[in-house]
């Protein structure tokens, strides 16, 4: 009997031992728990997937990724980071207006777990979105319009342009663009009339319109053939006109008349003309006709040499919309000229001297080469200053730190007293400060290597000039007329190349002016053929 109980006990212990061993050998890598959240940030082509990943204790996960596709057969995956149990992935390059399936999977090579599958839909493509229509330039028979396409709606633009209608009429005129740049000139307008204008843009989804703009045209002198302006303006009236808006071709005879009306005849004599505001936006300068000033003839689309020279009545001028070039002295001596409007077509000009009232030079926003800032003319990028109006009477010139160049005669005759060029300036044009009678002190930047011809010519109040340490050359007639120059500071260790012509016309400059040079270069300067002529040489100590 006792043996029987002993056998039962042993069998029981064996079973317990087997169970215990089985428990000890149980798998320790339990599967993770996955959930997916709703999609956020859905656009036409992107979305953000998010979810959670719970990994049991003593378990591991070798990978975690979101799987997505438009059907079970097109599923692709993207690995995603895990941060404190949160997983996410940003999807790009999705198709607009499309439904996508997605789920989260994680695990090891031997064990993979998937969440439930969910779906989201990307936003569909839309019609384009347009900004507001603006008017860059306007005349009695045309206007330069501009409008930005703010959003293409996700589709390629197929048609863009403008529509306009004369108020009270039913027929709408449509002007389509050859490309997606919404900037054009509309023509054929009626003088002294009101139009409603709007821009349009179209893609595969549909057409969208901008807000409507009201455009009012002005009255104007209108003609068809060159020389006809002379017929339209009677002699008895020509000295009474103060404001003119022109629409027609201008030859030499027409321009001779305009000069006469603005205060100067073809022989250069002053007249009783009172023409102050001249809008030539819708006119065009053509070849032919008489000489407009007795010696110069017109060229097509050129504001010619001396065209309005000494026309004392002119106060505001809008140049023709097709003008491509403005030559020397076009407005020289126009003492009353305050405002000059430059069209989108004009890309080359020479600044006019002796315009003491000029404070504002404006450039069409559509001009590809020129721009204006606070009435000052620059190139399109704003790195080159081309024309500083004389009417600006700033005592000290403040220039942009991004400025690279001052163009030929850019500040001629300016009223500025002091100039310190920023280190970014590397190039100076001919005669930049020509005849600047108020200029007293100038410091050139270290970036300037060549001091050009006639840089300070006629600056008879100039007292102090500093040339940077990288100066290598001083041009001819640079200091011509600088009879007040008392200190010339040259920071270059090697004497810049120059000739006596550089100081020609500067009076007793060699005996009157103190030359300041680096202390280590005094002997070199004294032995130079030109710099050695200065009687007084002062050391520049570091």
């Amino acid at each position: 009997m006792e043996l029987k109980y002993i056998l039962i006990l042993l069998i029981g212990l064996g079973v317990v031992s087997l169970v215990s061993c089985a428990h000890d050998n149980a798998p320790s890598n339990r599967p993770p728990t996955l959930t997916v959240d709703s999609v956020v940030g859905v656009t036409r082509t992107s979305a953000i997937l998010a979810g959670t990943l719970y990994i049991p204790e003593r378990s591991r996960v070798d990978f975690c990724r979101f799987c997505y596709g438009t059907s079970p057969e097109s599923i692709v995956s993207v690995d995603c980071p895990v941060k404190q149990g949160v997983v996410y992935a940003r999807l790009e390059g999705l198709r607009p207006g499309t439904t996508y399936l997605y789920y989260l999977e994680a695990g090891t090579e031997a064990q993979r777990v998937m969440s439930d599958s969910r779906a989201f839909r990307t936003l569909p493509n839309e019609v384009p979105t347009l900004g507001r229509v603006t008017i860059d330039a306007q005349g009695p028979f045309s206007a330069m319009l501009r409008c930005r396409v703010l959003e293409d709606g996700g589709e390629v633009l197929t048609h863009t342009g403008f529509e306009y209608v004369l108020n009270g009429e039913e027929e709408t005129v449509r002007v389509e663009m050859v490309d997606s740049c919404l900037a054009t000139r509309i023509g054929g307008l009626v003088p002294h009339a009101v139009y409603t204008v709007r821009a349009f843009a179209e893609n595969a989804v549909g057409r969208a319109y901008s807000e409507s703009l009201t455009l009012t045209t002005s009255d104007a002198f209108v003609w068809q053939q060159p020389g006809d302006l002379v017929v339209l303006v009677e002699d008895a009236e020509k000295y009474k006109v103060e404001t003119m808006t022109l629409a027609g071709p201008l030859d030499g005879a027409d321009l001779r008349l305009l000069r006469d009306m603005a205060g100067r005849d073809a022989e250069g004599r002053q007249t009783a003309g009172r023409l102050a505001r001249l809008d030539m936006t819708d006119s065009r300068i053509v070849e032919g006709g008489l000489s407009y000033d007795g010696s110069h003839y017109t060229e097509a689309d050129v504001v010619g040499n001396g065209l309005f020279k000494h026309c004392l009545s002119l106060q505001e001028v809008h140049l023709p919309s097709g003008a491509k070039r403005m030559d020397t002295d076009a407005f020289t001596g126009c003492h009353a000229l305050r405002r000059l409007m430059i069209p989108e077509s004009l890309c080359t000009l020479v600044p006019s001297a002796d315009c003491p009232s000029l404070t504002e030079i404006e450039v069409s926003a559509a001009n590809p080469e020129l721009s204006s800032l606070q009435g000052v003319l620059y190139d399109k990028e704003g790195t080159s200053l081309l024309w500083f109006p004389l009417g600006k009477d700033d005592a000290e010139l403040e220039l942009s730190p991004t400025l690279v160049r001052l163009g030929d005669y850019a500040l001629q005759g300016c009223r500025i007293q002091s100039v310190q060029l920023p280190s970014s300036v590397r190039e100076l044009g001919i005669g930049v400060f020509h005849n600047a009678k108020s200029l007293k002190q100038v410091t050139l930047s270290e970036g300037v290597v060549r001091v050009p011809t006639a840089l300070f010519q006629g600056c008879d109040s100039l007292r102090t000039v500093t040339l940077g340490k990288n100066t290598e050359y001083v041009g001819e007639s640079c200091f011509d007329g600088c009879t007040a120059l008392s200190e010339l500071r040259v920071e270059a260790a090697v004497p810049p190349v120059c000739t006596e012509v550089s100081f020609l016309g500067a009076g007793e400059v060699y005996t009157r002016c103190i030359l300041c040079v680096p202390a280590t270069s005094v002997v070199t300067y004294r032995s130079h053929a030109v710099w050695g002529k200065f009687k007084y040489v002062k050391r520049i100590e570091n």
Side-chain angles (χ1 to χ4, degrees):
M1 191 66 178
E2 292 180 358
L3 180 58
K4 179 180 178 180
Y5 284 117
I6 291 173
L7 290 173
I8 293 173
L9 178 60
L10 291 173
I11 293 170
L13 290 172
V15 171
V16 171
S17 178
L18 289 172
V19 171
S20 176
C21 291
H23 178 75
D24 290 341
N25 295 327
S28 62
N29 197 47
R30 288 179 291 166
T33 302
L34 309 176
T35 59
V36 290
D37 300 330
S38 298
V39 178
V40 297
V42 179
T43 69
R44 292 193 300 269
T45 58
S46 64
I48 299 175
L49 307 182
T52 57
L53 170 66
Y54 170 72
I55 304 175
E57 188 178 356
R58 299 177 61 191
S59 297
R60 79 173 195 274
V61 166
D62 294 335
F63 66 86
C64 182
R65 57 197 174 212
F66 272 108
C67 301
Y68 67 98
T70 57
S71 67
E73 294 77 22
S74 63
I75 294 296
V76 295
S77 63
V78 55
D79 293 334
C80 49
V82 181
K83 187 176 182 179
Q84 296 181 345
V86 177
V87 294
Y88 63 92
R90 182 177 182 85
L91 308 183
E92 301 283 357
L94 304 179
R95 296 201 302 265
T98 303
T99 299
Y100 285 86
L101 305 173
Y102 71 100
Y103 59 86
L104 182 64
E105 70 175 13
T108 64
E109 290 296 329
Q111 186 181 47
R112 185 182 66 170
V113 178
M114 295 188 299
S115 70
D116 292 336
S117 179
R118 302 184 68 173
F120 70 92
R121 185 175 179 82
T122 54
L123 299 179
N125 283 341
E126 302 172 339
V127 296
T129 303
L130 296 171
R132 301 179 65 180
V133 177
T134 58
I135 302 174
D136 281 353
Q138 181 180 344
F141 289 97
S142 67
M144 183 69 185
L145 304 179
R146 181 177 295 276
C147 183
R148 289 184 57 198
V149 179
L150 303 179
E151 171 62 54
D152 62 10
E155 297 277 353
V156 176
L157 297 180
T158 55
H159 299 281
T160 58
F162 292 90
E163 292 182 351
Y164 59 99
V165 60
L166 178 62
N167 286 9
E169 300 290 334
E170 296 182 357
E171 183 179 356
T172 298
V173 179
R174 177 176 297 169
V175 179
E176 291 203 8
M177 308 289 95
V178 295
D179 52 37
S180 59
C181 179
L182 275 169
T184 191
R185 182 176 297 277
I186 61 173
L189 307 181
V190 178
H192 203 62
V194 179
Y195 288 83
T196 298
V197 180
R198 63 179 180 175
F200 67 85
E202 184 176 328
N203 59 19
V205 179
R207 170 172 291 188
Y209 293 93
S210 69
E211 295 182 9
S212 296
L213 170 75
T214 299
L215 185 157
T216 303
T217 57
S218 61
D219 203 354
F221 287 87
V222 183
W223 68 100
Q224 299 296 325
Q225 299 297 322
D228 283 355
L229 179 62
V230 179
V231 179
L232 292 174
V233 181
E234 298 182 1
D235 288 342
E237 302 293 329
K238 68 178 182 180
Y239 292 148
K240 299 178 182 179
V241 178
E242 296 183 2
T243 300
M244 286 188 76
T245 302
L246 309 178
L250 293 164
D251 67 4
D254 298 318
L255 292 172
R256 177 182 286 207
L257 170 66
L258 293 177
R259 281 173 51 87
D260 196 7
M261 297 174 68
R264 191 69 53 176
D265 67 14
E267 285 72 39
R269 297 184 296 258
Q270 188 171 346
T271 71
R274 301 167 58 184
L275 180 58
R277 290 165 294 278
L278 178 60
D279 187 347
M280 299 188 290
T281 300
D282 285 322
S283 62
R284 184 187 177 195
I285 298 175
V286 299
E287 292 182 354
L290 303 173
S291 166
Y292 54 80
D293 65 351
S295 59
H296 295 98
Y297 292 84
T298 56
E299 296 181 53
D301 300 321
V302 174
V303 182
N305 190 319
L307 179 57
F308 292 105
K309 187 175 183 179
H310 298 312
C311 290
L312 300 179
S313 295
L314 283 179
Q315 298 178 17
E316 179 176 325
V317 176
H318 296 237
L319 296 179
S321 60
K324 295 180 173 60
R325 190 179 84 228
M326 190 176 89
D327 285 346
T328 304
D329 293 331
F331 294 96
T332 292
C334 292
H335 293 173
L337 184 65
R338 300 173 183 173
R339 188 178 183 216
L340 180 63
M341 303 292 290
I342 295 175
E344 66 273 13
S345 57
L346 194 145
C347 298
T348 304
L349 61 78
V350 178
S352 293
D354 195 22
C355 297
S357 300
L358 185 62
T359 59
E360 189 173 4
I361 302 172
E362 293 189 18
V363 180
S364 167
N367 192 301
E369 300 292 340
L370 305 176
S371 64
S372 60
L373 178 64
Q374 297 179 341
V376 180
L377 183 67
Y378 294 87
D379 65 353
K380 193 65 174 180
E381 292 75 25
T383 59
S384 182
L385 192 156
L386 304 176
W387 190 354
F388 188 87
L390 294 190
K392 290 184 173 294
D393 55 2
D394 308 25
E396 183 173 349
L397 180 61
E398 294 184 7
L399 298 173
S400 166
T402 61
L403 195 67
V404 174
R405 181 180 185 272
L406 300 181
D408 292 349
Y409 301 100
L411 288 100
Q412 64 175 332
C414 66
R415 301 177 185 177
I416 298 166
Q417 297 180 22
S418 176
V419 175
Q420 182 165 352
L421 298 185
S423 58
S424 60
V425 175
R426 299 190 299 271
E427 184 180 351
L428 301 176
I430 295 172
V432 169
F433 301 103
H434 176 74
N435 215 33
K437 299 296 186 181
S438 300
L439 193 60
K440 296 179 180 179
Q441 186 273 332
V442 176
T443 300
L444 302 186
S445 65
E446 293 182 355
V448 175
V449 175
R450 295 178 62 85
V451 180
T453 300
L455 181 65
F456 302 112
Q457 191 174 45
C459 298
D460 52 18
S461 297
L462 186 62
R463 299 174 183 173
T464 305
V465 173
T466 299
L467 307 184
K469 65 180 182 180
N470 294 313
T471 306
E472 297 179 359
Y473 172 81
V474 178
E476 297 180 356
S477 303
C478 181
F479 294 96
D480 182 18
C482 298
T483 54
L485 189 65
S486 59
E487 181 177 298
L488 177 57
R489 184 184 180 95
V490 185
E491 297 180 346
V494 178
V497 174
C498 67
T499 66
E500 292 186 15
V501 180
S502 302
F503 299 96
L504 186 66
E508 301 299 323
V509 64
Y510 298 122
T511 57
R512 181 190 68 253
C513 178
I514 298 174
L515 176 64
C516 302
V517 300
T520 57
S521 303
V522 171
V523 174
T524 308
Y525 274 86
R526 285 191 179 279
S527 61
H528 190 276
V530 178
W531 298 109
K533 292 179 177 293
F534 282 84
K535 181 178 180 180
Y536 302 104
V537 180
K538 181 178 179 182
R539 299 170 180 265
I540 301 174
E541 302 292 346
N542 291 333

